[in-house]
Amino acid sequence: MKYISTRGQAPALDFEQVLLTGLASDGGLYVPETLPQFSREEISAMAGMDYPQLAQRIIEPFVSDSIPPDDLRQIIADTYAVFRHNAVAPLVQIGHNQWVLELFHGPTLAFKDFALQLLGRLLDYVLERRQQKVVIMGATSGDTGSAAIEGCKRCKNIDIFILHPHDRVSEVQRRQMTTVVGDNIHNLAIEGNFDDCQAMVKATFGDRGVLPADRGLVAVNSINWARIMAQIVYYFYAAVALGGPARPVAFSVPTGNFGDIFAGYLAHRMGLPVSQLIIATNRNDVLHRVMTTATYGRQSLEHTLSPSMDITVSSNFERLLFDLYDRDGSAVSKLMRDFDQGDIHFSDAAMSRARALFSSYRVPDEETCAQIASTWQDCEYLLDPHSAIGVKAALASGIGDGIPVVTLATAHPAKFPQAIQRAGIVTEVALPLHLADLFDRRERFEVLPRDLATVQAFMANNLGA
Ligand SMILES: *Cc1c(COP(=O)(O)O)cnc(C)c1O
């Protein structure tokens, strides 16, 4: 399978190259040139598969040029063996036709483990084969950093540098990054905000400064195609468990960078009967404004109780735009250039395509807390604030009157205790056993000034042999 850029100017790559690349050279994002298709019979046959078997079925066509099936099987088995629930992604019913897909049984208690546990192992496999070493550099406001560190901690061919804003991530989130032991793991606490961290990562991808030329630089944010690919699997898993393909299902997805929900869109395009995808946002509602006004525009960042969705620009939306504009790379390129100057407007044709599958809903903090409280009262099920936004949107959509709606539960509630308290719930929310001693573990991080040259010099001086 070949991968092409959404802006139409960069060379097509195979899976292995795409895995080791961040942005395409024309500034676009890589997407598969064609998608594998699954017939109704093939989807029916998925009913008996456990999660790793299904993952093999879905992922194999995307990677088969680079990874033989038996090697892939081993990588997938190792990846999902670290999840602490035998179903990997269990479905829980919270109301009539209302389901929650628990995606928080991985090592860092958020759905990002599904992709980053796999990504770390895929990288290790191809780097070992190529006898190559790379540097991973990423910025995090919380969940991505810990999931990337957990995913790459055993990889001897990777040095990983994660920048977080000093004193501006929650204590649980910080400790999940800084207590992981490994010589190849470097947590950099930057004296600045998340945007400063992000800007330094972007600048380094543009100009590597003093970093040695023979170390590739790999991105772990959701512009990396392999992350999206891994997330397609659980849409199939949930839909088949609820009676697909005979019975269509809808999904409600707490959304920030549009990575997770884009995977649902791909599942639909690959043949899965998905009747609707609900974009559930917090007050950072750039996507809700797109759906309701056909305008894509930046607004200032709002800090909410669901910090992993606090974004102003939704980078993976460009991947959908590419399809909405008939895969015309020059049209996407022009739109994105215009977006650098100010708001952009989408055509009626593009919007009617988008609205045929997607709807959207915006949930402010008060409603998030109210949803956590009411779901708790209804069935003593505790939602984290991100998942609560999804459930609120699912209920508001009214879709559950006819067909099952699955909300993706993207994080474990113990990660966000303030929101649970704000919802008026007095029950103690314990961390799962494997993290119970998190607050006693030794932390390791380096505080660095908001200065690109200092950060790059630190990286160059701390690379493994
Ligand atoms: C990253 C994250 C999201 C948003 O996912 P996107 O793929 O960026 O849309 C939602 N919830 C949690 C808990 C997250 O960590």
Side-chain angles (χ1 to χ4, degrees):
M1 177 168 310
K2 285 286 176 205
Y3 293 86
I4 57 174
S5 166
T6 52
R7 299 198 191 174
Q9 296 298 311
L13 302 181
D14 65 17
F15 177 74
E16 183 166 329
Q17 294 166 317
V18 129
L19 180 68
L20 296 168
T21 314
L23 279 184
S25 56
D26 57 5
L29 304 180
Y30 277 104
V31 291
E33 188 169 41
T34 55
L35 286 172
Q37 295 296 318
F38 293 100
S39 68
R40 287 177 84 86
E41 292 69 38
E42 287 170 322
I43 296 172
S44 300
M46 292 173 187
M49 296 183 186
D50 65 16
Y51 197 89
Q53 288 168 334
L54 182 62
Q56 177 84 17
R57 188 83 179 85
I58 303 289
I59 292 173
E60 204 177 288
F62 288 107
V63 307
S64 54
D65 297 343
S66 309
I67 306 179
D70 286 340
D71 292 353
L72 179 66
R73 192 166 291 111
Q74 190 59 50
I75 292 170
I76 287 175
D78 294 345
T79 297
Y80 296 107
V82 301
F83 281 61
R84 286 177 173 78
H85 193 297
N86 282 341
V88 182
L91 266 174
V92 175
Q93 188 165 20
I94 58 165
H96 175 65
N97 271 344
Q98 296 293 333
W99 300 79
V100 162
L101 184 67
E102 293 187 340
L103 300 176
F104 50 71
H105 295 283
T108 73
L109 314 182
F111 84 95
K112 292 186 172 72
D113 290 328
F114 277 81
L116 285 163
Q117 285 293 320
L118 182 67
L119 180 66
R121 287 171 174 84
L122 288 170
L123 283 172
D124 212 26
Y125 175 87
V126 304
L127 292 172
E128 197 61 32
R129 198 167 62 184
R130 294 160 73 110
Q131 290 292 302
Q132 191 188 335
K133 290 186 189 297
V134 297
V135 174
I136 284 179
M137 185 183 190
T140 189
S141 55
D143 293 335
T144 304
S146 56
I149 287 171
E150 279 289 342
C152 299
K153 68 181 181 187
R154 290 174 215 82
C155 307
K156 48 186 181 307
N157 297 312
I158 300 175
D159 283 295
I160 178 164
F161 296 86
I162 297 294
L163 284 61
H164 72 264
H166 187 38
D167 286 336
R168 297 196 199 189
V169 297
S170 82
E171 187 167 8
V172 173
Q173 288 180 322
R174 188 191 71 238
R175 285 179 166 276
Q176 282 189 307
M177 297 190 278
T178 58
T179 60
V180 180
V181 183
D183 292 339
N184 63 334
I185 298 166
H186 307 279
N187 280 289
L188 311 186
I190 304 297
E191 292 169 325
N193 61 26
F194 171 67
D195 288 339
D196 298 326
C197 297
Q198 185 93 302
M200 285 199 256
V201 172
K202 234 183 151 175
T204 305
F205 275 86
D207 176 358
R208 316 159 44 101
V210 292
L211 281 173
D214 64 337
R215 300 279 170 115
L217 199 53
V218 173
V220 285
N221 53 9
S222 56
I223 63 170
N224 190 307
W225 159 255
R227 283 187 56 180
I228 308 277
M229 174 186 77
Q231 293 167 188
I232 300 170
V233 178
Y234 47 69
Y235 286 90
F236 277 89
Y237 190 67
V240 167
L242 290 175
R247 190 162 72 144
V249 294
F251 288 92
S252 177
V253 187
T255 308
N257 256 326
F258 206 74
D260 203 5
I261 194 165
F262 185 70
Y265 164 77
L266 294 178
H268 169 73
R269 294 272 320 277
M270 290 161 67
L272 189 70
V274 174
S275 71
Q276 199 163 130
L277 290 167
I278 305 168
I279 299 166
T281 79
N282 63 26
R283 276 191 301 152
N284 297 288
D285 60 351
V286 56
L287 292 169
H288 180 58
R289 283 181 281 120
V290 168
M291 294 304 294
T292 48
T293 68
T295 301
Y296 191 47
R298 291 183 175 84
Q299 280 186 352
S300 56
L301 188 75
E302 304 262 0
H303 290 281
T304 72
L305 290 172
S306 43
S308 303
M309 290 153 58
D310 289 349
I311 46 91
T312 55
V313 173
S314 217
S315 40
N316 279 292
F317 189 65
E318 180 169 337
R319 288 185 156 120
L320 180 67
L321 270 186
F322 186 54
D323 281 4
L324 298 180
Y325 280 86
D326 283 321
R327 308 206 121 201
D328 176 351
S330 57
V332 172
S333 192
K334 174 164 189 331
L335 282 166
M336 298 317 292
R337 274 199 314 273
D338 292 348
F339 183 58
D340 288 337
Q341 312 302 318
D343 292 4
I344 53 175
H345 305 279
F346 298 132
S347 67
D348 291 346
M351 286 312 300
S352 68
R353 276 190 191 175
R355 287 174 182 142
L357 184 63
F358 292 93
S359 59
S360 68
Y361 200 80
R362 169 189 191 269
V363 184
D365 279 350
E366 313 78 71
E367 291 180 28
T368 306
C369 291
Q371 188 60 53
I372 293 172
S374 80
T375 300
W376 176 252
Q377 275 149 25
D378 288 349
C379 53
E380 289 190 21
Y381 187 82
L382 199 50
L383 293 164
D384 102 287
H386 305 81
S387 312
I389 287 173
V391 169
K392 174 74 192 178
L395 293 169
S397 73
I399 298 170
D401 293 345
I403 57 167
V405 190
V406 178
T407 295
L408 304 196
T410 50
H412 190 289
K415 270 192 117 158
F416 300 99
Q418 321 91 296
I420 309 296
Q421 265 171 17
R422 276 269 299 273
I425 293 168
V426 287
T427 309
E428 162 99 36
V429 199
L431 283 164
L433 278 182
H434 69 100
L435 286 172
D437 65 344
L438 185 66
F439 286 84
D440 306 324
R441 295 184 194 167
R442 195 167 86 86
E443 290 191 79
R444 283 203 331 177
F445 62 94
E446 199 75 32
V447 181
L448 291 179
R450 197 191 63 192
D451 176 60
L452 184 61
T454 309
V455 169
Q456 290 185 344
F458 179 89
M459 292 171 65
N461 289 331
N462 284 278
L463 292 178

